Coordinates of all heavy atoms in Angstrom, one line a residue:
T1168 N 19.2 12.0 18.2 CA 17.9 12.6 18.0 C 17.5 12.6 16.5 O 16.4 12.2 16.1 CB 17.9 14.0 18.5 OG1 18.1 14.0 19.8 CG2 16.5 14.5 18.3
I1169 N 18.5 13.0 15.7 CA 18.2 13.0 14.2 C 18.1 11.5 13.7 O 17.2 11.2 12.8 CB 19.3 13.7 13.5 CG1 19.4 15.2 13.9 CG2 19.1 13.5 11.9 CD1 20.4 16.0 13.1
D1170 N 19.0 10.7 14.2 CA 18.8 9.3 13.8 C 17.5 8.7 14.1 O 16.9 7.8 13.4 CB 20.0 8.5 14.3 CG 20.1 7.1 13.8 OD1 20.2 6.9 12.6 OD2 19.9 6.2 14.7
A1171 N 17.0 9.0 15.4 CA 15.8 8.5 15.8 C 14.6 9.0 14.9 O 13.7 8.2 14.6 CB 15.5 8.9 17.2
Q1172 N 14.7 10.2 14.5 CA 13.8 10.7 13.5 C 13.8 10.0 12.2 O 12.8 9.8 11.5 CB 13.9 12.2 13.3 CG 13.6 13.1 14.5 CD 14.1 14.5 14.3 OE1 14.8 14.9 13.4 NE2 13.5 15.4 15.3
N1173 N 14.9 9.7 11.7 CA 15.2 9.0 10.5 C 14.6 7.6 10.5 O 14.2 7.1 9.5 CB 16.7 9.0 10.1 CG 17.1 10.3 9.6 OD1 16.3 11.2 9.2 ND2 18.4 10.5 9.7
T1174 N 14.7 7.0 11.8 CA 14.2 5.6 11.8 C 12.8 5.5 12.2 O 12.0 4.5 12.2 CB 15.0 4.8 12.8 OG1 15.1 5.6 14.1 CG2 16.5 4.7 12.3
N1175 N 12.1 6.7 12.6 CA 10.8 6.8 12.9 C 9.9 6.7 11.6 O 10.0 7.6 10.8 CB 10.4 8.0 13.7 CG 9.0 8.0 14.1 OD1 8.0 8.1 13.3 ND2 8.7 8.1 15.4
T1176 N 9.1 5.6 11.4 CA 8.4 5.4 10.1 C 7.7 6.7 9.7 O 7.7 7.2 8.6 CB 7.7 4.3 10.1 OG1 8.4 3.1 10.4 CG2 7.0 4.0 8.9
S1177 N 6.9 7.2 10.6 CA 5.8 8.3 10.3 C 6.6 9.5 10.0 O 6.3 10.4 9.1 CB 4.9 8.6 11.5 OG 5.6 8.8 12.7
L1178 N 7.7 9.9 10.8 CA 8.5 11.1 10.6 C 9.2 10.9 9.3 O 9.3 12.0 8.6 CB 9.4 11.3 11.7 CG 8.8 11.9 13.1 CD1 10.0 12.0 14.2 CD2 8.3 13.3 12.9
R1179 N 9.9 9.8 9.1 CA 10.5 9.7 7.8 C 9.7 9.8 6.7 O 10.1 10.5 5.6 CB 11.2 8.2 7.8 CG 12.2 8.0 6.6 CD 12.8 6.7 6.8 NE 12.0 5.6 6.7 CZ 12.2 4.3 6.8 NH1 13.5 4.0 7.0 NH2 11.4 3.3 6.8
L1180 N 8.5 9.3 6.7 CA 7.5 9.4 5.5 C 7.2 10.9 5.4 O 7.2 11.4 4.2 CB 6.3 8.6 5.8 CG 5.2 8.7 4.6 CD1 5.8 8.3 3.4 CD2 4.0 7.9 5.1
S1181 N 7.1 11.6 6.5 CA 6.7 13.1 6.5 C 7.8 13.8 5.8 O 7.6 14.6 4.9 CB 6.5 13.7 7.8 OG 6.3 15.0 7.8
Y1182 N 9.1 13.7 6.2 CA 10.2 14.4 5.6 C 10.3 14.0 4.1 O 10.6 14.8 3.2 CB 11.5 14.0 6.3 CG 11.6 14.6 7.8 CD1 12.2 13.8 8.7 CD2 11.1 15.8 8.1 CE1 12.3 14.3 10.1 CE2 11.2 16.3 9.3 CZ 11.7 15.5 10.3 OH 11.8 16.0 11.5
K1183 N 10.1 12.7 3.9 CA 10.3 12.2 2.5 C 9.3 12.9 1.6 O 9.7 13.2 0.4 CB 10.1 10.7 2.5 CG 10.4 10.0 1.1 CD 10.1 8.5 1.3 CE 10.5 7.9 -0.1 NZ 11.9 7.8 -0.4
V1184 N 8.0 12.9 2.0 CA 7.1 13.6 1.1 C 7.5 15.1 0.8 O 7.4 15.6 -0.3 CB 5.7 13.5 1.8 CG1 4.8 14.6 1.1 CG2 5.1 12.2 1.8
I1185 N 7.9 15.8 1.9 CA 8.3 17.2 1.6 C 9.6 17.2 0.8 O 9.5 18.1 -0.2 CB 8.8 17.8 3.1 CG1 7.6 17.9 4.0 CG2 9.4 19.1 2.9 CD1 7.9 18.4 5.4
N1186 N 10.6 16.4 0.9 CA 11.7 16.4 0.0 C 11.4 16.0 -1.3 O 12.0 16.6 -2.4 CB 12.8 15.6 0.6 CG 13.4 16.3 1.9 OD1 13.5 17.4 2.0 ND2 13.8 15.4 2.8
E1187 N 10.6 15.1 -1.6 CA 10.3 14.6 -2.9 C 9.3 15.7 -3.7 O 9.7 15.8 -4.7 CB 9.4 13.2 -2.8 CG 10.3 12.1 -2.2 CD 11.5 11.8 -3.0 OE1 11.5 11.9 -4.3 OE2 12.7 11.7 -2.5
T1188 N 8.5 16.2 -3.0 CA 7.6 17.2 -3.5 C 8.5 18.4 -4.0 O 8.4 18.9 -5.1 CB 6.6 17.7 -2.6 OG1 5.7 16.7 -2.1 CG2 5.7 18.8 -3.3
Q1189 N 9.5 18.9 -3.1 CA 10.4 19.9 -3.6 C 11.1 19.5 -4.7 O 11.4 20.3 -5.7 CB 11.2 20.4 -2.3 CG 12.1 21.6 -2.7 CD 13.0 22.0 -1.5 OE1 13.6 21.0 -0.8 NE2 13.2 23.2 -1.2
S1190 N 11.7 18.4 -4.7 CA 12.6 17.9 -5.8 C 11.8 17.7 -7.1 O 12.3 17.9 -8.2 CB 13.2 16.5 -5.4 OG 14.1 16.7 -4.4
D1191 N 10.5 17.5 -7.0 CA 9.7 17.3 -8.2 C 9.6 18.6 -8.8 O 9.9 18.8 -10.1 CB 8.2 16.9 -7.9 CG 8.1 15.3 -7.7 OD1 9.0 14.7 -8.2 OD2 7.1 14.9 -7.2
Y1192 N 9.0 19.6 -8.2 CA 8.9 21.0 -8.9 C 10.1 21.8 -9.2 O 10.1 22.4 -10.2 CB 7.6 21.7 -8.2 CG 8.1 22.6 -7.0 CD1 8.5 23.8 -7.2 CD2 7.9 22.1 -5.7 CE1 8.9 24.6 -6.2 CE2 8.2 22.8 -4.6 CZ 8.7 24.1 -4.9 OH 9.0 24.9 -3.7
L1193 N 11.0 21.7 -8.3 CA 12.2 22.4 -8.5 C 13.1 21.7 -9.6 O 13.8 22.4 -10.4 CB 13.1 22.7 -7.2 CG 12.5 23.6 -6.3 CD1 13.4 23.9 -5.1 CD2 12.2 24.9 -6.9
G1194 N 13.1 20.4 -9.5 CA 13.7 19.6 -10.6 C 13.1 19.9 -11.9 O 13.7 19.9 -13.0
G1195 N 11.8 20.1 -11.9 CA 11.1 20.4 -13.2 C 11.4 21.7 -13.7 O 11.7 22.0 -14.9
F1196 N 11.6 22.7 -12.8 CA 11.9 24.0 -13.2 C 13.4 24.0 -13.7 O 13.7 24.9 -14.7 CB 11.8 25.0 -11.9 CG 12.0 26.4 -12.4 CD1 11.0 27.0 -13.0 CD2 13.2 27.2 -12.2 CE1 11.2 28.5 -13.4 CE2 13.3 28.5 -12.6 CZ 12.4 29.1 -13.2
L1197 N 14.3 23.2 -13.2 CA 15.5 23.1 -13.6 C 15.6 22.5 -15.0 O 16.4 23.1 -15.9 CB 16.5 22.1 -12.7 CG 17.8 21.7 -13.2 CD1 18.7 22.9 -13.5 CD2 18.5 20.7 -12.1
A1198 N 14.8 21.5 -15.3 CA 14.7 21.0 -16.6 C 14.2 22.0 -17.6 O 14.6 22.2 -18.7 CB 13.8 19.8 -16.6
Y1199 N 13.1 22.8 -17.1 CA 12.6 24.0 -17.9 C 13.7 24.9 -18.3 O 13.8 25.4 -19.4 CB 11.5 24.6 -17.1 CG 11.1 25.9 -17.5 CD1 10.3 26.1 -18.6 CD2 11.5 27.0 -16.9 CE1 9.9 27.4 -19.1 CE2 11.2 28.5 -17.2 CZ 10.4 28.5 -18.4 OH 10.0 29.8 -18.8
S1200 N 14.6 25.2 -17.3 CA 15.6 26.3 -17.6 C 16.7 25.7 -18.6 O 17.5 26.4 -19.1 CB 16.3 26.6 -16.3 OG 17.0 25.6 -15.7
A1201 N 16.7 24.3 -18.7 CA 17.7 23.7 -19.6 C 17.0 23.4 -20.9 O 17.7 22.9 -21.9 CB 18.1 22.4 -19.1
G1202 N 15.8 23.8 -21.2 CA 15.2 23.8 -22.5 C 14.2 22.6 -22.7 O 13.9 22.3 -23.8
Y1203 N 13.9 21.9 -21.7 CA 13.0 20.7 -21.9 C 11.5 21.1 -21.5 O 11.2 22.1 -21.0 CB 13.3 19.5 -20.9 CG 14.7 19.1 -21.3 CD1 15.8 19.5 -20.7 CD2 14.8 18.1 -22.3 CE1 17.1 18.9 -20.9 CE2 16.1 17.6 -22.6 CZ 17.2 18.0 -21.9 OH 18.4 17.5 -22.3
W1204 N 10.6 20.3 -22.0 CA 9.2 20.5 -21.9 C 8.6 19.7 -20.6 O 9.0 18.8 -20.2 CB 8.4 20.1 -23.0 CG 8.8 20.7 -24.3 CD1 9.9 20.6 -25.0 CD2 8.0 21.8 -24.9 NE1 9.8 21.5 -26.1 CE2 8.7 22.3 -26.0 CE3 6.7 22.5 -24.6 CZ2 8.2 23.3 -26.9 CZ3 6.3 23.5 -25.3 CH2 7.0 23.9 -26.4
V1205 N 7.6 20.3 -20.0 CA 7.0 19.7 -18.8 C 6.4 18.4 -19.2 O 5.7 18.3 -20.2 CB 5.8 20.7 -18.3 CG1 5.0 20.0 -17.3 CG2 6.5 21.9 -17.6
Y1206 N 6.7 17.4 -18.4 CA 6.2 16.1 -18.7 C 4.8 16.0 -18.1 O 4.6 15.7 -16.8 CB 7.0 15.0 -18.3 CG 6.5 13.5 -18.7 CD1 6.5 13.3 -20.0 CD2 6.1 12.7 -17.6 CE1 6.1 12.0 -20.3 CE2 5.6 11.5 -18.0 CZ 5.6 11.1 -19.4 OH 5.1 9.9 -19.7
E1207 N 3.7 16.1 -18.8 CA 2.3 16.2 -18.3 C 1.9 14.7 -17.8 O 1.0 14.6 -17.0 CB 1.4 16.7 -19.3 CG 1.7 18.1 -19.9 CD 1.2 19.1 -18.9 OE1 0.7 18.9 -17.9 OE2 1.6 20.3 -19.3
G1208 N 2.5 13.7 -18.4 CA 2.0 12.3 -18.1 C 2.5 11.6 -16.9 O 2.6 10.5 -16.7
L1209 N 3.2 12.6 -16.0 CA 3.9 11.9 -14.9 C 3.1 11.0 -14.0 O 3.5 9.9 -13.6 CB 4.5 13.1 -14.0 CG 5.0 12.7 -12.5 CD1 6.2 11.8 -12.9 CD2 5.6 13.9 -11.9

């Protein structure tokens, strides 16, 4: 079932958007906590 979801283009894109968005802002907060500046020109 999970494999079918991973190979389904629309479902995979949906999960990808969610995971990428979370990694963007939490990865940014991680960088912030390490002393870096927000990269405004992303």
Side-chain angles (χ1 to χ4, degrees):
T1168 300
I1169 295 176
D1170 183 61
Q1172 292 174 343
N1173 288 336
T1174 55
N1175 183 298
T1176 301
S1177 60
L1178 282 175
R1179 185 175 64 185
L1180 181 57
S1181 176
Y1182 292 142
K1183 187 178 183 67
V1184 168
I1185 293 172
N1186 289 326
E1187 293 304 312
T1188 302
Q1189 184 183 39
S1190 292
D1191 273 350
Y1192 81 87
L1193 291 185
F1196 191 78
L1197 172 58
Y1199 162 76
S1200 66
Y1203 294 96
W1204 294 79
V1205 167
Y1206 184 69
E1207 303 280 357
L1209 172 60

